[in-house]
Amino acid sequence: MLFTTYSLFLATASISFAHPTPYKPAIADVDILQYALALEHLEDKFYREGLANFTLQHFMEAGFNETFYDNLKEVSYDETTHVSFLTSALKAANATPVAECTYSFGVTSVASFIATASILEGVGVSAYLGAAASIVNKDYLTAAGSILTIESRHSSYLRAAQKQSSFPQAFDAPLGFNEVYTLAAPFITSCPEGNGKLPVKAFPMLALEASITNVTTNSTIVLDTKGSTLRLPSNSEHVNWYAAWISVTGPTFTPATLTGNNDMFKTTVPSGFHGQSYVLITGKKGCMTDDCVIAGPAIVEVSGANGIM
Ligand SMILES: *[C@@H]1O[C@H](CO)[C@@H](O)[C@H](O)[C@H]1NC(C)=O
Ligand SMILES: *[C@@H]1O[C@H](CO)[C@@H](O)[C@H](O)[C@H]1NC(C)=O
Ligand SMILES: *[C@@H]1O[C@H](CO)[C@@H](O)[C@H](O)[C@H]1NC(C)=O
Ligand SMILES: *[C@@H]1O[C@H](CO)[C@@H](O)[C@H](O)[C@H]1NC(C)=O
């Protein structure tokens, strides 16, 4: 039955899995739970801090009503509940759950609170989706799935509140552990020593150049490494750079050129990417292993909906 569904899926969508998801690290279930808990701590603290920063009055002044404010409190409660759930699961597995870190969210207004919340929820969805294939214990997998679906509802709600499509495309993109950590790391100031080290690492950061606002299919965009130390090969002038756009069927590569003070990459948005999209820079077409990744991922919001609209 599963096989039939799968074949049908392949035939209908006429896609191929020739380039499977980029990272397949051998990571234990307990480490995946710790990784999930680390992300939930970040989200939980984010909402508690934002709701402490801004009152209902602030939200109303920013154009949001009381229903929205109450729903954000519910979102915050969900994240707190995810933290206690994962904490209990880790204790039950005889592990010491990671504790909350200190964070710097750079939120200055209700609008930036909502924008950052929406990005975090989208990353949460892609993080759980990307981790799913590595989870061995079926009960953990179901539990992770039940969190993923809620993060995805949060994401849709926050996107709608910003007049973005709630479901901009037919598939969400799975992100690898290192990719997620790269996106989370800039928010993390420091963590308690007792947390130990998760088997993840951050790539040099990459972000859509700040002045670029309206990105659609075929847009030329500039991705800024923000002065990160890049892992450029010694023969850099002979390297063909590529932007790797992450999707469930494997990345789409678009040529990229080094620009700015050799700290930015110019590329174009391929078709088939809508909503919150993720793009890395790699030094080799088709290669997404740790050795090839130069920087990223960057988050790029691509407007326009998939399909009929
Ligand atoms: C809360 O306010 C502080 C001080 O302005 C700011 O640094 C922080 O990013 C804000 N956090 C949230 C989640 O709103
Ligand atoms: C609050 O705002 C939302 C989104 O604009 C709207 O759908 C809803 O009807 C509003 N609720 C009330 C009670 O005004
Ligand atoms: C964004 O670009 C598209 C296509 O170029 C255009 O139709 C749309 O009006 C633009 N939106 C904004 C908000 O500038
Ligand atoms: C993007 O460019 C390709 C190739 O030039 C073209 O076929 C396609 O219609 C363009 N898509 C959009 C949405 O502009």
Side-chain angles (χ1 to χ4, degrees), residues 82-307:
H82 293 163
V83 165
S84 47
F85 175 80
L86 290 166
T87 300
S88 303
L90 279 156
K91 283 183 181 159
N94 290 320
T96 306
V98 293
E100 189 174 287
C101 299
T102 57
Y103 311 93
S104 171
F105 296 113
V107 167
T108 53
S109 63
V110 167
S112 69
F113 176 48
I114 302 306
T116 306
S118 179
I119 287 168
L120 288 177
E121 296 289 352
V123 171
V125 167
S126 290
Y128 278 100
L129 186 59
S134 301
I135 301 174
V136 175
N137 180 313
K138 291 279 195 288
D139 293 336
Y140 290 163
L141 182 58
T142 302
S146 77
I147 295 177
L148 187 161
T149 56
I150 296 305
E151 305 286 2
S152 134
R153 293 176 203 204
H154 294 167
S155 165
S156 292
Y157 185 72
L158 291 163
R159 288 182 60 84
Q162 296 173 98
K163 313 254 184 306
Q164 294 170 326
S165 169
S166 300
F167 34 89
Q169 58 182 10
F171 300 95
D172 280 318
L175 287 174
F177 298 100
N178 293 340
E179 293 165 349
V180 171
Y181 187 60
T182 304
L183 295 170
F187 292 119
I188 302 171
T189 315
S190 69
C191 292
E193 223 151 84
N195 275 7
K197 272 191 77 71
L198 291 174
V200 294
K201 67 171 182 182
F203 296 121
M205 79 171 287
L206 192 67
L208 186 65
E209 208 267 316
S211 66
I212 302 175
T213 49
N214 185 15
V215 178
T216 59
T217 303
N218 292 345
S219 290
T220 297
I221 57 165
V222 175
L223 300 169
D224 189 348
T225 63
K226 305 240 176 184
S228 309
T229 308
L230 295 184
R231 313 185 313 162
L232 301 182
S234 49
N235 61 338
S236 286
E237 62 274 26
H238 302 300
V239 170
N240 291 316
W241 311 103
Y242 290 91
W245 297 79
I246 298 171
S247 84
V248 68
T249 51
T252 296
F253 293 91
T254 53
T257 50
L258 205 49
T259 179
N261 192 17
N262 277 0
D263 57 355
M264 297 190 192
F265 293 89
K266 189 185 276 193
T267 192
T268 52
V269 179
S271 55
F273 289 82
H274 300 282
Q276 187 163 310
S277 306
Y278 306 93
V279 55
L280 294 138
I281 297 294
T282 145
K284 199 171 164 195
K285 189 172 187 178
C287 180
M288 292 278 287
T289 61
D290 285 9
D291 296 346
C292 297
V293 172
I294 305 291
I299 294 174
V300 180
E301 174 65 30
V302 183
S303 61
N306 198 25

Side-chain angles (χ1 to χ4, degrees), residues 8-29:
L8 184 67
F9 170 72
L10 286 179
T12 314
S14 57
I15 48 175
S16 103
F17 281 77
H19 299 285
T21 341
Y23 304 111
K24 291 216 176 297
I27 176 165
D29 278 0

Side-chain angles (χ1 to χ4, degrees), residues 61-99:
E61 282 161 12
F64 298 99
N65 62 24
E66 191 164 0
T67 308
F68 180 80
Y69 178 72
D70 286 344
N71 281 334
L72 266 197
K73 287 199 275 192
E74 175 65 38
V75 171
S76 179
Y77 168 81
D78 291 348
E79 305 302 355
T80 304
T81 308
H82 293 163
V83 165
S84 47
F85 175 80
L86 290 166
T87 300
S88 303
L90 279 156
K91 283 183 181 159
N94 290 320
T96 306
V98 293

Side-chain angles (χ1 to χ4, degrees), residues 45-54 103-109 113:
K45 177 66 183 179
F46 173 80
Y47 285 107
R48 284 188 288 113
E49 193 179 289
L51 289 169
N53 279 351
F54 305 111
Y103 311 93
S104 171
F105 296 113
V107 167
T108 53
S109 63
F113 176 48

